[in-house]
Amino acid sequence: MSTNAAKNLFIYGSLLCFAVLVILTIDTMGTLDKRAPEITEKVDAGKKVWHKYDCIGCHTILGNGSYFAPDMTKATERKPKGYLKKFLLNPRSIKPDAAMPKLGLSEEEADNLIAFLEWTSKVDTNDWPPKPVLAAAAAAGTASTGQMLFRKNDCAACHQIAGLGGTAGPDLTHTGSKQPDIDWHIRHLKDPASVVENSAMPAFAHLSDEEIRMLAEYLITLK
Amino acid sequence: MQYQSQKIALNFYTAAVVLFLVQVLVGIIAAVQFMWPDFFILNFNTIRTLHINALVVWLLMGMMGATYYVVPEESETELWSVPLAQFQFWATVLAVGAVVAGYIVMGLNPQANTEIFGTRLLNEGREYIEAPRWADVLIVVSVLLFLFNNLMTILKTKKFTAVQGVLLGGLTFLALMYIPGMFYTKSMVKDQFWWWWVVHLWVEGSWEMIAAALLAFMLHKLLGADVKVLAKWMYIETGLVLFTGILGLGHHYYWIGTPKYWLWVGGIFSSLEPIPLLLMVWDAFRTTRETRGVVENRVGLYYTVAHAIFNFVGAGLWGVVHTLPQVNKWTHGTQITTAHGHLAFYGAYVLLILSMIYVTLPSLRGVKEFNQSKGYLAFWWMTISMVFIVITITGAGMVQTYLERLLGLDYVTVKAGYNLWFWIFRAIFGVGFLVGAAIIVKDFFTLGKQPLPARQP
Ligand code: HEM
Ligand code: HEM
Ligand SMILES: [Fe+2]
């Protein structure tokens, strides 16, 4: 190939590729709004809060950003809003060893942020993040009714038992030793704030008394 | 050095190496914060912002310095306007200083990051392009002044060389690709879509063009290789970089809310991206082998060849392993990405600018011979440390992908528990890197200024 031929290939080849990119971009722009919920004023205000506090400096969202903290795309699916709001306002007041600092958000900013995160959780991301393929295996095996309720109510989103589960609430591996009183657990499950001041755990009052008892019985076996 | 005006490159190089030191220092702080989040008065996000912005800015300053050196030499004339170049330099330094001060103020008090004219005063809160809008405008003006000055220089003698064409073409592309990052969109999906235009089309498009042009320039200057042959391969390399890289942009559009066809476009084109990078390695070796005669600036050649190799390894290999959608689905946004980011930036651009410095500094200082041992020493400190940083972080990424993404363990559990030792090792190797960086910066300031050791008879 002569130098001139190489040069022409470079110039026209690149221009062609760029033209294709522009066409694909135009097509994509036409589809994006259909692949996501409507953007309300609250969502937009929440996005601005996201930028204001540079959340991307620690977190990823849609998988892009910094790798110091968990991905935020599905944050509202993992945790109830009441918990998230308390956490955003002052992480260490409800999780003493949190690595996230108190950033000084106002109540309104926190509400807007949650609306924004709820929006991102509903974006059609071609099924990302994927469901863990091996998690089902870990959860298999026989389980007591209490254990089943623990799984069904997704207590593991916030609590760990023997290394499995979330870290938003305390580790429950030995909660039966720490708090052996079954009545305490029952009252706590029905209304956490009635026994633990400023608790960020959601109340499970919608469960039947029977279910709550089974759960509490299971909890006190965790020695 | 034939032209006095080339000396302006020294200003840019000086700013670049100073910022390089700052970048590495704050990188170590960031690494320590993985184990100890409250280690420093500024939170992790501010430290990270300083780390990556210092990196981008010093690489840009290095490219500008390199261009101010290359263009007069290729055009065989003095720069069109030295005062303009000087003004552009100081204006850039001032703007960068103001932006850094803004980040620190914002880090200490986020409320100071108020909204003005629909954008943020101190920090835009978008990775890499955190600089606020007013600074974006200043940066664009600075780059335009810089391009204008070089264009006028070329027009003085109208010697349109291939290296100049691709270099200036790459720089113009770079300036243009800053624009998609300069407007606000309400949709986070569109926000990230345009954000990747900037980030990807920079590092895998315009910057690689600049790298190919500077590679040809350096091989010619070091080895006296035939310009025609170099130009031909440079065109083939850049052609392939853009052919694979422009549509390779699709590898960032798999999971951000964009249509499925990007899985095909991104997967196919980005998988081909390593080819031109491999070609550059071959180009460097072939030219070195074919050129007989004594190479005076051996350390310059060393860095140039190392740049070509690590560009291929860091960007090409560490990029291609996670570029297919089937893999990226599991590794997207994990420490695997950080491992790739470090080796790619180090190999492709840090070593590129450092090679340009070693290739051009002796003539800028007016010496033919200089003590080359510091250059080698720095190279090995930096490269070994960087390779180990990348190995530890690749390990952390594999553990994270397996435990968090495949098994479903909690993010914080994996980070604070399973990966703790990887963070510890990264911080230690980070200090090793700092040693290398300090050696090279010291060498930059003293090169050619000390008497040479007496020659062996
Ligand atoms: C030429 C120099 C290159 C540099 C400097 C570079 C740098 C980077 C950086 C810094 C990121 C992370 C961006 C962020 O912070 O969110 C990234 C992501 C990525 N790069 Fe590169 N890259 C280069 C070339 C390549 C090549 C040639 C490939 C593929 C063959 C590639 C594949 C990827 C992929 C797939 C991601 C996304 C990772 C994820 O999903 O989290 N890169 N690159
Ligand atoms: C010249 C050398 C270096 C280059 C080119 C570089 C480049 C980068 C880039 C591009 C990022 C952001 C993208 C990403 O996370 O993938 C980053 C983040 C980071 N860098 Fe560096 N860096 C260098 C040296 C260091 C050193 C010596 C350390 C300290 C050990 C360090 C620690 C970090 C940390 C902790 C992060 C944040 C990663 C995360 O979010 O998980 N870097 N660096
Ligand atoms: Fe990319």
Side-chain angles (χ1 to χ4, degrees), chain A residues 1-3 6-7 10 14 17-18 20-21 24-25 27-29 31-33 35 39 44 47-48 50-54 56-58 61-70 92 99 101 103-104 116 119 123-128 130-135 160 163-167, chain B residues 33-34 37-38 43-45 48-49 106 110-111 113 115 120 124-127 184-194 196-197 228 232 235 239 242-243 246 249 254-263 329-330 332-333 335 337-338 405-413 415:
Chain A
M1 201 189 315
S2 73
T3 307
K7 181 176 165 185
F10 148 60
S14 315
C17 286
F18 204 83
V20 174
L21 176 64
L24 289 177
T25 295
D27 180 75
T28 298
M29 282 298 145
T31 63
L32 292 184
D33 288 334
R35 297 172 57 93
I39 301 168
D44 183 42
K47 180 169 182 279
K48 288 188 170 152
W50 174 267
H51 292 309
K52 173 181 171 189
Y53 290 95
D54 187 29
I56 201 106
C58 291
I61 190 157
L62 299 166
N64 295 313
S66 310
Y67 317 106
F68 184 77
R92 281 170 203 172
L103 294 167
F116 166 67
W119 182 86
V123 171
D124 177 356
T125 55
N126 297 329
D127 297 324
W128 192 88
K131 294 253 168 322
V133 277
L134 302 173
Q160 237 166 39
L164 277 180
T167 49
Chain B
Q33 287 180 324
F34 262 74
D38 299 331
N43 289 326
F44 177 83
N45 59 319
R48 192 186 198 272
T49 300
M106 185 271 184
Q111 299 307 333
N113 194 21
E115 192 175 306
R120 292 283 150 203
E124 228 176 79
R126 297 168 77 204
E127 196 193 1
Y184 179 80
T185 44
K186 287 187 173 188
S187 158
M188 194 63 190
V189 176
K190 291 180 188 165
D191 188 308
Q192 293 211 341
F193 187 92
W194 292 114
W196 275 119
W197 267 57
K228 265 231 141 75
K232 181 173 109 183
Y235 282 130
L242 295 180
F243 174 69
I246 290 176
L249 174 56
Y254 299 154
W255 326 116
I256 65 166
T258 33
K260 266 224 162 87
Y261 57 73
W262 286 107
L263 270 66
K329 183 169 193 174
W330 303 100
H332 180 46
Q335 292 294 327
T337 310
T338 300
R405 299 287 167 83
L406 264 67
L407 274 181
L409 292 199
D410 180 73
Y411 173 94
V412 174
T413 309
K415 177 188 168 206

Side-chain angles (χ1 to χ4, degrees), chain A residues 14-215:
Chain A
S14 315
L15 286 177
L16 182 73
C17 286
F18 204 83
V20 174
L21 176 64
V22 170
I23 292 169
L24 289 177
T25 295
I26 292 169
D27 180 75
T28 298
M29 282 298 145
T31 63
L32 292 184
D33 288 334
K34 287 176 228 143
R35 297 172 57 93
E38 193 201 338
I39 301 168
T40 61
E41 256 173 48
K42 215 170 150 81
V43 170
D44 183 42
K47 180 169 182 279
K48 288 188 170 152
V49 179
W50 174 267
H51 292 309
K52 173 181 171 189
Y53 290 95
D54 187 29
C55 310
I56 201 106
C58 291
H59 289 276
T60 51
I61 190 157
L62 299 166
N64 295 313
S66 310
Y67 317 106
F68 184 77
D71 185 75
M72 284 290 113
T73 316
K74 305 277 178 191
T76 54
E77 284 185 6
R78 281 198 307 265
K79 305 276 155 64
K81 288 180 205 157
Y83 173 84
L84 288 178
K85 183 167 177 187
K86 281 204 163 125
F87 186 85
L88 286 172
L89 290 175
N90 189 354
R92 281 170 203 172
S93 72
I94 60 168
K95 183 180 176 188
D97 62 344
M100 176 158 152
K102 181 177 175 179
L103 294 167
L105 279 87
S106 69
E107 296 247 347
E108 192 193 357
E109 285 177 326
D111 287 332
N112 291 339
L113 251 177
I114 290 168
F116 166 67
L117 292 174
E118 201 162 31
W119 182 86
T120 57
S121 76
K122 297 205 182 87
V123 171
D124 177 356
T125 55
N126 297 329
D127 297 324
W128 192 88
K131 294 253 168 322
V133 277
L134 302 173
T142 48
S144 68
T145 324
Q147 241 169 329
M148 301 284 271
L149 284 166
F150 192 86
R151 278 182 210 158
K152 204 177 116 211
N153 290 291
D154 207 14
C155 310
C158 298
H159 293 292
Q160 237 166 39
I161 296 177
L164 277 180
T167 49
D171 187 330
L172 298 185
T173 315
H174 304 294
T175 195
S177 311
K178 191 180 154 198
Q179 192 52 263
D181 179 5
I182 190 164
D183 289 332
W184 185 92
H185 283 289
I186 291 174
R187 269 185 289 142
H188 182 253
L189 285 168
K190 282 186 176 160
D191 181 11
S194 69
V195 280
V196 178
E197 205 185 332
N198 190 32
S199 171
M201 173 159 145
F204 286 86
H206 55 281
L207 298 182
S208 70
D209 284 351
E210 179 62 17
E211 284 173 320
I212 296 236
R213 168 158 295 279
M214 303 283 240
L215 257 175

Side-chain angles (χ1 to χ4, degrees), chain B residues 141-152:
Chain B
V141 171
S142 159
V143 173
L144 287 180
L145 288 179
F146 157 81
L147 284 173
F148 178 71
N149 204 351
N150 283 295
L151 205 69
M152 293 308 282

Side-chain angles (χ1 to χ4, degrees), chain B residues 16 19-20 22-23 26 49-59:
Chain B
L19 276 175
F20 177 35
V22 173
Q23 181 228 331
V26 291
T49 300
L50 291 171
H51 180 60
I52 58 182
N53 282 250
L55 169 72
V56 172
V57 170
W58 85 257
L59 292 176

Side-chain angles (χ1 to χ4, degrees), chain A residues 21, chain B residues 196-197 200-201 244-253 262 273:
Chain A
L21 176 64
Chain B
W196 275 119
W197 267 57
H200 172 100
L201 292 180
T244 58
I246 290 176
L247 290 171
L249 174 56
H251 64 184
H252 303 297
Y253 296 159
W262 286 107
E273 283 186 55

